[in-house]
Each structure stands twice: as structure tokens, then as C-alpha cells.
Amino acid sequence: QDDGFLAFWVSAIFMLPLSCPRTMEPLAKFSFFSILSIFFLVGAVIYLYFTCTDPAGGAMGDSTFYENWIEIRSFSGLFQSLGTFVFTFICHHTVNLAYEELPAEIRHPKIWRRVSTNSIVLATETSLSLGIFTYLTFGVHTPTDVLMGYPSDLTVANIARLLLCATMVLTFPLPFLTCREMITLIMVDIRNHCRQRNGSRCSCFQRCSACF
């Protein structure tokens, strides 16, 4: 209950205001902070692999390479993890908005192709680094929330948790901006369709779309 109460107020105080602007410009101001937080998170996981060993022996232990890295121990767990695998690289819902927010001098398909490719490569390397080094640290005991496997009194892990929370707060508004943009476009299309059929008797859609 306390976690739900805290999540509600964090969402109301931080996420809701960040989801209200009509453009991604306010979020763009924090993009550099988000990138630095991700780099620190990866560095912290790698550092903790060498300094914080798992009591159970980590991923290696006495098991074979197949048992550690290839064997699927639970198909139910595999299906539960598919959501994480799928949504890790879902970025197409913000592509159009991100492209429109680029400065006019660099808003070109050639430059955008380079930006999007480098972003996907960076996201892939980050995800692999977090997954591999966390698994090397905890082995089969790796928790779903990888940072929760570290002791609560570990300063580096606590800083990483705080930075991850801040990054998530800055990330969650993006789907809301996209959803609102789609609703606005749908309402504009409906208004235009009504105008073509009934003249100018669709003022309600015009007022509603202006609110977005």
C-alpha cells in the first residue's frame, strides 16, 4: 500500500506535468542526463561484478556452458520474459515526434538514419551489458529487477537505483505524448470528414482538437 501511495504521488507530481507539454522539447533538456544515467548504470553493474560476488557462486559454479547460457529451464518464464524482449526496442511510436523535434538544419533522412541506427546499437549494447554482467554475478538467482539483487547498504547500487528511477520518470511521458498526438490526428481527420459531408457543422471536434 505504501508503494502504491508513493507511486501515485510521484506520478502526479513529476510524470503528469512532463506529459502535458505539446512537444518533446521539455524532455529533450533532460536527454543528456538520461544518457549519463544509463552509462553509470552499466558501469556500476560491471564494477559490482568484480567487487560483489554472489554467495551461490554466480553463473559459472559447477554447471556446464549449456546449462548456464543455453538451456531453457522454464518455458513459462520464457513467455513471461518475451514482453521485456519485445518492448526493449519499441521506439517506432516516438520516431515521428523525435524527428519533428530535430533542428531544421539536421532534419534530414540521411542524418536521421544515422541517429536512429546509432541509438539502436547503443540500446543493444546497453541491454546486453546489463544482462550478461548481472547474470555473471548472480547466475540462476538473478532477480527480475536486476538491481534488487544487490545489498541495500551498497552505495553504488543505491545510486544506480535512484538514477534508474529518474530515467524511468523521464521515459514514461513519451508514450503519453505519442498517444495524445494520435488522438489529435484522429479527431482532425474526423473533423475534416465531417466538414466534407456536412459543411462547417463540426465545431465540437474543432474545439476538442484545439485543446490537445
Side-chain angles (χ1 to χ4, degrees):
Q1 296 178 353
D2 293 339
D3 292 342
F5 181 79
L6 179 62
F8 171 80
W9 283 109
V10 170
S11 301
I13 296 175
F14 297 103
M15 294 185 183
L16 182 59
L18 289 174
S19 303
C20 290
R22 295 188 175 186
T23 65
M24 298 174 60
E25 184 177 356
L27 293 176
K29 299 177 181 179
F30 300 100
S31 58
F32 187 68
F33 170 78
S34 298
I35 294 176
L36 289 181
S37 299
I38 294 299
F39 278 125
F40 179 87
L41 180 60
V42 174
V45 170
I46 296 176
Y47 169 78
L48 292 173
Y49 163 67
F50 293 101
T51 60
C52 181
T53 57
D54 179 57
M60 297 297 101
D62 298 328
S63 303
T64 63
F65 179 85
Y66 173 81
E67 293 174 336
N68 286 325
W69 297 97
I70 301 177
E71 181 183 12
I72 300 177
R73 293 182 173 84
S74 172
F75 281 97
S76 61
L78 174 64
F79 290 117
Q80 292 174 359
S81 302
L82 284 179
T84 303
F85 299 148
V86 171
F87 286 99
T88 297
F89 296 102
I90 284 189
C91 57
H92 56 270
H93 61 297
T94 58
V95 166
N96 294 330
L97 291 178
Y99 181 78
E100 292 175 358
E101 294 296 324
L102 291 176
E105 59 271 12
I106 62 174
R107 193 184 305 161
H108 189 275
K110 182 178 180 181
I111 297 179
W112 177 248
R113 188 181 301 112
R114 186 173 61 206
V115 171
S116 58
T117 301
N118 292 338
S119 300
I120 293 297
V121 171
L122 181 61
T124 304
E125 293 176 348
T126 301
S127 300
L128 288 175
S129 300
L130 289 175
I132 291 175
F133 279 95
T134 305
Y135 184 70
L136 287 173
T137 303
F138 298 104
V140 296
H141 305 288
T142 303
T144 304
D145 187 348
V146 294
L147 292 178
M148 297 306 296
Y150 299 102
S152 58
D153 58 347
L154 205 57
T155 303
V156 176
N158 289 331
I159 295 175
R161 293 185 184 107
L162 290 175
L163 292 177
L164 179 61
C165 291
T167 303
M168 297 306 296
V169 168
L170 298 174
T171 302
F172 269 105
L174 292 176
F176 290 99
L177 291 173
T178 306
C179 182
R180 187 175 62 186
E181 181 74 10
M182 294 301 102
I183 294 175
T184 302
L185 293 176
I186 292 174
M187 295 183 67
V188 170
D189 290 339
I190 295 176
R191 183 193 63 184
N192 293 336
H193 180 71
C194 289
R195 280 184 172 180
Q196 292 176 0
R197 296 188 58 182
N198 306 320
S200 59
R201 291 183 294 174
C202 292
S203 58
C204 60
F205 287 107
Q206 185 175 2
R207 290 194 299 269
C208 292
S209 60
C211 294
F212 286 91

